[in-house]
Amino acid sequence: MNVNSPDIQMTEKPSKFTMLRSLLTGPGTNFIMEAHNGLSAKIVEEAGFDGIWASGLSISAALGVRDNNELSWTQVLDVLEFMSDATSIPILVDGDTGYGNFNNFRRLVKKLCQRQIAGVCIEDKVFPKTNSFLGDGQQLTEIEEFCGKIKAGKDNQEHDDFSIVARIEALIAGRGMDEALRRAEAYADAGADAIVIHSKKADPDEILTFCRLWDHRVPVVLIPTKYYRTPTDTLREAGASLIIWANHNLRSSIQAMRATSARLKQHETLIDVESEVAPLNDVFSLADAGELEEAETRYLSGQARPNAVVLAATRGDDLGDLTADQPKCMLNVRGEAILGRQLRALSRIGASEPFVVAGYRAEAIDLPGINKVVNADYERTGEAASLYAARQALNGDCIISYGDVVYRPFFLNLLMERQEDFVILVDPNWMEKRETRNAESRDLVKLSAGDAGELHADAEPLLVDIGPGVADADGEWVGLLRTSANGARRLKAELERMREDGSLDRAELGTVLKRLMARGEEIVALTVSGNWMNINDLLDLAQARNAM
């Protein structure tokens, strides 16, 4: 354990209710994304959104019914409970018309608060509702009745920061701008925490007019489903506090499922689709199967935990001033250090406290839960010497990782389910990735299967060659290696031989792997496509912050 870490001052994380209120009232324009079940909610959080829109249309469609209050509010609540349990970001639920009168709505608000749902949006139409984009002549409720719903909800919310958002349908119903503004004023007076002004026109003119005339004493939320061609900066300039991407996860999933189903129906084989769908272990990862494995190591006796080594000694010279005071493993990617992301992924597979090999600005690596080893000669030595410094970790199943690689947690599940002594991950789409990054790779690989089609066959290919000058490369090494206990012992022995023959100091990991192959060791290569990034320069970092 690193005993030199500075004291860490713990601060209490704000509640989901407060987080949503901050999205509504904070500076600038914020964005939330549609989800309709626990899985899609996790994907929204994984993408980096700060909040979730639990769409009534999407939840209804996912369950095979119409968006006309054919689901009861208790059935919707069941879905929301799974979504809330699966995520740590706030959920704003599409509450339709409140599922009845004020009495139904105040009970709904209580139940939402109990399940940590941060807010509800209700629309001023009659119950049962009709989707706003279907037909004409939408029926609106009386202003006084709707204000009563808002007041009843506010009087019965069980958290001060629970948000009630009033959705104005006057423009949808053809009632005009004056009616929309009149309703907005009444709903704000009744206690609404924000308003949605809704439109089904393809141009944003009436939305922009409303925003210009409204005094913004409560925030304005926009849902640009129909006027999607409008530049987001235009909506920002109009004063939108929150923008909802309202149904696009559902719609994209429909398109993807139709395409996959059609191909399987036509070709009657999985060969063509397997490489284009999410890996099965991605599903397990999203379901947090790793947490169960970690819990089993904690609560069930007799199960060994894998070891881990993270090689994080280098500065990252091409990253300029960003690494003036810290190594690149501590650079921030979407709110978390690269190393912090790796530690979280290792924790999910139940790994022991990882050995982190530091070098440049070793004192800046101050994350809890690590065994910090310092390679003081990092400027003169390479990866093999850093791994040798942490050789005590090579006494059981082990994950070895570059300290500058950002990857999805399911990568580790892919590695841990294998039984071979040496397993690496290889991306066969290396050329596309390399051109995008505009950087040379020192970890090109040649595999025993000669083309991308064969790489997805049942028999996993073996590593044949690795290095920057590999001709006709089949892929790029991701920078993750898994060894069995036997493999770890053989790797450790090879490092000892390299130290004795004087080749250790300047060697990279690729050189070590080639020496192992020369001794007859087989190194299995599993293929992954995308979902990772090696941070070598500012372009890599920017792309990782956008995509990972």
Short mmCIF file of all heavy atoms in Angstrom, two decimals, residues 279-300:
data_model
loop_
_atom_site.label_atom_id
_atom_site.label_comp_id
_atom_site.label_asym_id
_atom_site.label_seq_id
_atom_site.Cartn_x
_atom_site.Cartn_y
_atom_site.Cartn_z
N PRO A 279 -20.04 -7.58 -28.11
CA PRO A 279 -19.58 -8.86 -27.56
C PRO A 279 -20.45 -9.29 -26.39
O PRO A 279 -20.97 -8.45 -25.64
CB PRO A 279 -18.15 -8.55 -27.10
CG PRO A 279 -17.74 -7.33 -27.84
CD PRO A 279 -19.00 -6.54 -28.06
N LEU A 280 -20.61 -10.59 -26.24
CA LEU A 280 -21.44 -11.11 -25.15
C LEU A 280 -20.95 -10.60 -23.80
O LEU A 280 -21.74 -10.30 -22.91
CB LEU A 280 -21.45 -12.64 -25.19
CG LEU A 280 -22.43 -13.34 -24.24
CD1 LEU A 280 -23.86 -12.89 -24.49
CD2 LEU A 280 -22.30 -14.85 -24.39
N ASN A 281 -19.63 -10.47 -23.66
CA ASN A 281 -19.10 -10.01 -22.39
C ASN A 281 -19.42 -8.54 -22.13
O ASN A 281 -19.37 -8.09 -20.98
CB ASN A 281 -17.58 -10.24 -22.31
CG ASN A 281 -17.26 -11.63 -21.83
OD1 ASN A 281 -17.31 -11.92 -20.65
ND2 ASN A 281 -16.98 -12.53 -22.76
N ASP A 282 -19.72 -7.79 -23.18
CA ASP A 282 -20.18 -6.41 -22.98
C ASP A 282 -21.53 -6.43 -22.27
O ASP A 282 -21.82 -5.59 -21.40
CB ASP A 282 -20.28 -5.71 -24.33
CG ASP A 282 -20.37 -4.19 -24.19
OD1 ASP A 282 -20.31 -3.69 -23.05
OD2 ASP A 282 -20.51 -3.51 -25.22
N VAL A 283 -22.38 -7.39 -22.65
CA VAL A 283 -23.67 -7.54 -21.97
C VAL A 283 -23.45 -7.86 -20.50
O VAL A 283 -24.07 -7.27 -19.60
CB VAL A 283 -24.52 -8.64 -22.65
CG1 VAL A 283 -25.86 -8.80 -21.94
CG2 VAL A 283 -24.72 -8.33 -24.12
N PHE A 284 -22.55 -8.81 -20.22
CA PHE A 284 -22.27 -9.17 -18.84
C PHE A 284 -21.73 -7.97 -18.06
O PHE A 284 -22.07 -7.75 -16.90
CB PHE A 284 -21.27 -10.32 -18.77
CG PHE A 284 -21.76 -11.60 -19.39
CD1 PHE A 284 -20.89 -12.46 -20.04
CD2 PHE A 284 -23.11 -11.95 -19.33
CE1 PHE A 284 -21.34 -13.63 -20.61
CE2 PHE A 284 -23.56 -13.13 -19.90
CZ PHE A 284 -22.68 -13.97 -20.55
N SER A 285 -20.87 -7.20 -18.74
CA SER A 285 -20.28 -6.05 -18.07
C SER A 285 -21.33 -5.00 -17.73
O SER A 285 -21.35 -4.44 -16.63
CB SER A 285 -19.18 -5.43 -18.95
OG SER A 285 -18.60 -4.30 -18.34
N LEU A 286 -22.24 -4.72 -18.68
CA LEU A 286 -23.29 -3.75 -18.41
C LEU A 286 -24.22 -4.21 -17.30
O LEU A 286 -24.77 -3.40 -16.56
CB LEU A 286 -24.10 -3.49 -19.70
CG LEU A 286 -23.41 -2.61 -20.74
CD1 LEU A 286 -24.12 -2.70 -22.07
CD2 LEU A 286 -23.35 -1.16 -20.27
N ALA A 287 -24.38 -5.53 -17.18
CA ALA A 287 -25.19 -6.08 -16.09
C ALA A 287 -24.40 -6.18 -14.79
O ALA A 287 -24.92 -6.66 -13.79
CB ALA A 287 -25.72 -7.46 -16.48
N ASP A 288 -23.14 -5.71 -14.82
CA ASP A 288 -22.27 -5.68 -13.64
C ASP A 288 -21.99 -7.07 -13.09
O ASP A 288 -21.96 -7.28 -11.87
CB ASP A 288 -22.88 -4.80 -12.55
CG ASP A 288 -21.80 -4.06 -11.75
OD1 ASP A 288 -20.61 -4.18 -12.12
OD2 ASP A 288 -22.14 -3.39 -10.77
N ALA A 289 -21.77 -8.03 -14.01
CA ALA A 289 -21.41 -9.38 -13.57
C ALA A 289 -20.10 -9.36 -12.80
O ALA A 289 -19.90 -10.19 -11.89
CB ALA A 289 -21.31 -10.31 -14.78
N GLY A 290 -19.22 -8.42 -13.14
CA GLY A 290 -17.94 -8.34 -12.43
C GLY A 290 -18.12 -8.05 -10.95
O GLY A 290 -17.33 -8.52 -10.12
N GLU A 291 -19.14 -7.26 -10.61
CA GLU A 291 -19.38 -6.98 -9.19
C GLU A 291 -19.70 -8.25 -8.43
O GLU A 291 -19.26 -8.43 -7.28
CB GLU A 291 -20.52 -5.97 -9.05
CG GLU A 291 -20.71 -5.41 -7.64
CD GLU A 291 -21.47 -6.33 -6.72
OE1 GLU A 291 -22.31 -7.12 -7.22
OE2 GLU A 291 -21.24 -6.28 -5.48
N LEU A 292 -20.46 -9.15 -9.06
CA LEU A 292 -20.77 -10.42 -8.41
C LEU A 292 -19.51 -11.24 -8.21
O LEU A 292 -19.32 -11.86 -7.15
CB LEU A 292 -21.80 -11.20 -9.24
CG LEU A 292 -22.17 -12.59 -8.71
CD1 LEU A 292 -22.73 -12.50 -7.29
CD2 LEU A 292 -23.17 -13.27 -9.64
N GLU A 293 -18.66 -11.26 -9.24
CA GLU A 293 -17.40 -12.00 -9.10
C GLU A 293 -16.56 -11.43 -7.97
O GLU A 293 -15.94 -12.17 -7.20
CB GLU A 293 -16.63 -11.96 -10.43
CG GLU A 293 -17.32 -12.71 -11.55
CD GLU A 293 -16.55 -12.62 -12.85
OE1 GLU A 293 -15.41 -12.11 -12.83
OE2 GLU A 293 -17.07 -13.07 -13.88
N GLU A 294 -16.52 -10.09 -7.89
CA GLU A 294 -15.77 -9.46 -6.79
C GLU A 294 -16.37 -9.82 -5.45
O GLU A 294 -15.66 -10.11 -4.48
CB GLU A 294 -15.76 -7.94 -6.98
CG GLU A 294 -14.97 -7.21 -5.92
CD GLU A 294 -15.04 -5.71 -6.09
OE1 GLU A 294 -15.72 -5.24 -7.03
OE2 GLU A 294 -14.43 -5.00 -5.26
N ALA A 295 -17.70 -9.81 -5.37
CA ALA A 295 -18.37 -10.17 -4.12
C ALA A 295 -18.10 -11.61 -3.74
O ALA A 295 -17.95 -11.94 -2.56
CB ALA A 295 -19.87 -9.92 -4.24
N GLU A 296 -18.04 -12.49 -4.75
CA GLU A 296 -17.76 -13.89 -4.45
C GLU A 296 -16.38 -14.07 -3.84
O GLU A 296 -16.19 -14.88 -2.94
CB GLU A 296 -17.89 -14.72 -5.73
CG GLU A 296 -19.33 -14.92 -6.17
CD GLU A 296 -19.43 -15.58 -7.53
OE1 GLU A 296 -18.41 -15.59 -8.26
OE2 GLU A 296 -20.52 -16.08 -7.88
N THR A 297 -15.41 -13.28 -4.32
CA THR A 297 -14.07 -13.37 -3.73
C THR A 297 -14.06 -12.84 -2.31
O THR A 297 -13.23 -13.25 -1.49
CB THR A 297 -13.05 -12.58 -4.57
OG1 THR A 297 -13.37 -11.19 -4.53
CG2 THR A 297 -13.03 -13.04 -6.01
N ARG A 298 -15.00 -11.94 -2.00
CA ARG A 298 -15.05 -11.36 -0.66
C ARG A 298 -15.82 -12.24 0.32
O ARG A 298 -15.45 -12.36 1.49
CB ARG A 298 -15.68 -9.97 -0.75
CG ARG A 298 -15.62 -9.19 0.56
CD ARG A 298 -15.82 -7.69 0.33
NE ARG A 298 -17.07 -7.39 -0.36
CZ ARG A 298 -17.14 -6.88 -1.58
NH1 ARG A 298 -16.04 -6.62 -2.26
NH2 ARG A 298 -18.31 -6.63 -2.15
N TYR A 299 -16.88 -12.88 -0.18
CA TYR A 299 -17.78 -13.59 0.72
C TYR A 299 -17.68 -15.11 0.64
O TYR A 299 -18.20 -15.81 1.51
CB TYR A 299 -19.23 -13.17 0.44
CG TYR A 299 -19.45 -11.69 0.62
CD1 TYR A 299 -19.97 -10.92 -0.42
CD2 TYR A 299 -19.14 -11.05 1.81
CE1 TYR A 299 -20.18 -9.56 -0.26
CE2 TYR A 299 -19.33 -9.69 1.97
CZ TYR A 299 -19.86 -8.95 0.93
OH TYR A 299 -20.06 -7.60 1.10
N LEU A 300 -17.10 -15.64 -0.44
CA LEU A 300 -16.91 -17.08 -0.56
C LEU A 300 -15.43 -17.41 -0.39
O LEU A 300 -14.57 -16.78 -1.02
CB LEU A 300 -17.39 -17.58 -1.93
CG LEU A 300 -18.89 -17.37 -2.23
CD1 LEU A 300 -19.21 -17.84 -3.64
CD2 LEU A 300 -19.75 -18.11 -1.22
#
